Amino acid sequence: REPELITHRAYNGTADGPGGYDRFDGDGFDGFDDGIHDRARAENHETGLDSDPDGAPAPKKKGKAALTPAQRRKRRWKIIRRSIYAFVGLFFVLPAIAFAVTYFLVDVPSPSDVAKDQAKVVTYYYADGETEMGRDVPPDGGNRILLKPHEIPDHVKHAVYAAEDSTFETNPGFDITGILRAVYNQVTGGVGGGSTITQQYVKVATQNDDYSITRKWTEIVKAFKMNNEQSKKEIITAYLNTIYFGRGANGIETAAQAYYGKSARDINASEAALLAGMIQQPGRVDMPEVREKRWNYVMDRMVANGWLTQEERDAAQVPQLIDEEEYRPEAITGPEKFIERKVKQELEAKGYPEEKLQSGGYRVYLTIDQHAQEAAEQAVQQVMEGEDEKLQEALVAVDPKTGAVRAYYGGPHDPDVPGGQYDWASAQRNPGSSFKPFDLVALLKKGKGLGETYDGSAVRMFGDRPVRNANGTDCGPNCTVEEAMKLSINTVFFDIVVNEVGPQAVIDAATEAGIPEKGDGANPMPTMPTLDGNISIGGGDTMVSPLHMASAYATFADDGLRHETHFVAKLTTSDGEVVFDETSDVATEGEPAFSSDPAESKQIAGNVTKSLIPVLEYSELTCAGGHACAGKTGTHQYVGANGEKSDENAEAWMVGYSPQISAAVWVGTGRNEPIRNAQGGRVYGSGLPGEIWKQFMDTYHEGKPITEFPAVEPIGKIPTTPAPEPPPETPESTEATTETSTESEEPTQESPTTEPSESEGPPFGTMPGGPPDPTDDDDDDDGGGWFGRGRGDNGNSGNNGNNGD
């Protein structure tokens, strides 16, 4: 052999025998040389590449020992053991250490400390940023009464357990099952949290409700610590003295006074159940349908847990609340109460619920213009003076350039006025022919315009079903779309939707303009759930609110740009720090509604506006002072309790706009019953709603510069023939309206039963004084057809002789 260098294996520890290292020692670790060649050889051995066909290990190569089966098993177990050690350390040891460290670092505030930070005044300002609309002052005025454990009745505690945490008496402050369920719901898009009563107290005490792992971790540790250091009686007392119940009331004693005008010591199980039920939805306590739903849930849970007998449950009734002014004389009242409610809903959606606003003493700057709001209230009061008290009304005005709500009248909010406790501006109703502009949008998107002609005969058959125009109006066999919009010809628009564009195109057009998929509230109804021809004239299951319609028409007013409708312009802390600002250029920037191309969207909107200008002239509702305006009226027919037709109307609308403001007005009773004016005439859209709309628009435009709608290129054919003169006026024409109603046939399909809604306005089917017929899908004139029954809205006003809608 030639002399070996010091780098040879005899000296570097890789030689076998004395002075070397065995490839696998007793500890199972590899020898010093664990190079690439050894690993490759081991892999080959694993796969049998370095073994002979009989399974014997291949001969050593260059002095390297081959892996035996025992050695391979030892290596596998080594990897498994190390993986287990890492798993235990990562998921058990480290969290345990972190939990212990956090436990000693955190502290839980006392109820008295929490109470000091909860009772602050929230101030609401009009759009000018200086004039106060009102203040939200806590009912206790900051002088909270904190009850002792023995002062809270057991049935009050049981009601809260039933509503929030039935395992409270036995859990360690947190519920693993609930936490896992909450995680699953967040991952799958479901609803429902996993917080125990103790965790909820911690969240209230720390005023931290961020959706983060850090917050949840700290909350769990604090809840566990609180559970170890305090008794269950102390914990539930702390919770009940600080949790928010709605009506500006933090704490059970303040809430009992705000709800019932008496101490928490004196409320019964039924009253306690309602209080407990509203913990999850405190901002909706003034909605009767929400209160009833939550009360039923808690009462049933109390029975299920043995805290209430079935006999007691059956005998109980939903408690009635005292009027807000009785316990809160400084509260915002009247029509502005509905504005406050909408503002709170909007802020809650942005992460600022009512209780957080109070604890921070925030300043809320509204989009509501004081001048516009006063004009809206004045128009309603003057026009409706002397009218039947059963008639309700709503008016909403939206700034087309920003989406800001400038005026919002949902009713008087007077419990003594029938239906006054409902917000009619957000109540979903059938819009009648005020929905026809969306039919036109669908047609324009197909490249056809106002010059297209259709058969506008007074009566047409679609399949085996007749469709009629009100009062026998006949536009002739070659009626242009422009004429049909002006005269509100049902037969033309039904034809367009059924045979030309399809109902889905109308839904798409309305959605693009700003009609949402569902209404407002906790359990809103769908706005356009059914694909049938009734949508062409706003009948069937088409259910929208005045707020929806004012917002959608604002898109037409702003040349096809859609803006998000909002009530809050800016939110600041009590010391003036801006939380968010919706008045910036970025926040108010709109997006093209009807096409990705702004110019095309503008052209579509402009053609719609051109079709709606003559409607106001025809109905004698043009804006004063030379201000350019456009709009559409709408009515919906009354159908008797047994489905019999009549010549009466149940809903009446007027929706229109100028380049500066878009406004929607609705008049009805909230029930499926005939609506008549003080002179006994039927109410059409051009009647009471039209009068309210015109007075508001004229007042709003006073002192403002005159602006014109921009000129746009026509789409499709250009109308060449003048519109025919309307037929002689025949107010209260029994013959015409009777023919319209009595000869119509039932729809080809059943309308689905509508469940009670938790929207702010009373849901369709749950109006005070008796539910309307949910199958009613008629306007004030017939509109049957292949896709179901519907009604148009071209009639004569029974109160002022104006041509109807």
Side-chain angles (χ1 to χ4, degrees), residues 261-310:
K262 54 186 175 182
S263 172
R265 306 177 184 90
D266 302 324
I267 63 176
N268 57 38
S270 176
E271 293 168 333
L274 178 57
L275 281 170
M278 296 314 301
I279 291 175
Q280 286 192 17
Q281 299 186 41
R284 298 185 173 94
V285 64
D286 289 324
M287 302 181 192
E289 64 274 15
V290 177
R291 292 202 303 268
E292 183 174 356
K293 180 179 179 180
R294 294 299 300 162
W295 177 81
N296 279 318
Y297 171 77
V298 177
M299 292 291 282
D300 290 341
R301 293 291 300 160
M302 291 180 73
V303 173
N305 283 277
W307 295 318
L308 196 69
T309 66
Q310 188 61 51

Side-chain angles (χ1 to χ4, degrees), residues 152 156-157 160 235-243 245 251-252:
I152 303 176
V156 173
K157 299 175 185 177
V160 175
I235 295 173
I236 188 61
T237 302
Y239 176 81
L240 287 173
N241 277 325
T242 55
I243 198 67
F245 289 90
I252 188 68

Side-chain angles (χ1 to χ4, degrees), residues 382-388 391 675-683 687-688 691 732 797-801:
Q382 290 183 359
V383 173
M384 298 303 293
E385 184 177 1
E387 298 293 338
D388 191 334
L391 290 177
I675 51 176
R676 293 247 174 183
N677 57 37
Q679 291 75 38
R682 291 186 295 275
V683 178
L688 295 176
E691 292 177 38
E732 303 301 318
S797 171
N799 64 311
N800 58 11

Side-chain angles (χ1 to χ4, degrees), residues 358-374:
Q358 281 196 340
S359 63
Y362 286 85
R363 297 176 183 175
V364 184
Y365 295 86
L366 308 177
T367 62
I368 300 295
D369 179 83
Q370 185 178 16
H371 168 68
Q373 182 66 23
E374 291 174 351

Side-chain angles (χ1 to χ4, degrees), residues 404-434:
V405 179
R406 297 305 186 194
Y408 189 88
Y409 181 88
H413 197 268
D414 183 355
D416 296 330
V417 176
Q421 69 272 30
Y422 288 106
D423 180 1
W424 299 105
S426 286
Q428 292 175 249
R429 314 300 297 167
N430 288 112
S433 288
S434 63

Side-chain angles (χ1 to χ4, degrees), residues 51 96 147 192 263 318 323 374 421 486 523 552 596-597 636 782:
S51 301
L147 300 181
S263 172
V318 182
D323 183 54
E374 291 174 351
Q421 69 272 30
K486 175 181 177 179
N523 187 27
S596 57
D597 180 3
H636 189 75
D782 204 8

Side-chain angles (χ1 to χ4, degrees), residues 76-127:
R76 292 193 194 100
W77 277 111
K78 176 183 65 177
I79 296 173
I80 294 173
R81 284 198 307 273
R82 289 179 176 176
S83 299
I84 293 174
Y85 296 155
F87 180 83
V88 172
L90 182 63
F91 292 99
F92 290 94
V93 177
L94 290 180
I97 295 173
F99 193 93
V101 172
T102 308
Y103 185 93
F104 289 105
L105 291 177
V106 299
D107 196 11
V108 181
S110 67
S112 57
D113 292 335
V114 176
K116 292 177 183 178
D117 294 328
Q118 288 183 319
K120 296 179 182 178
V121 177
V122 180
T123 308
Y124 297 88
Y125 296 92
Y126 281 114

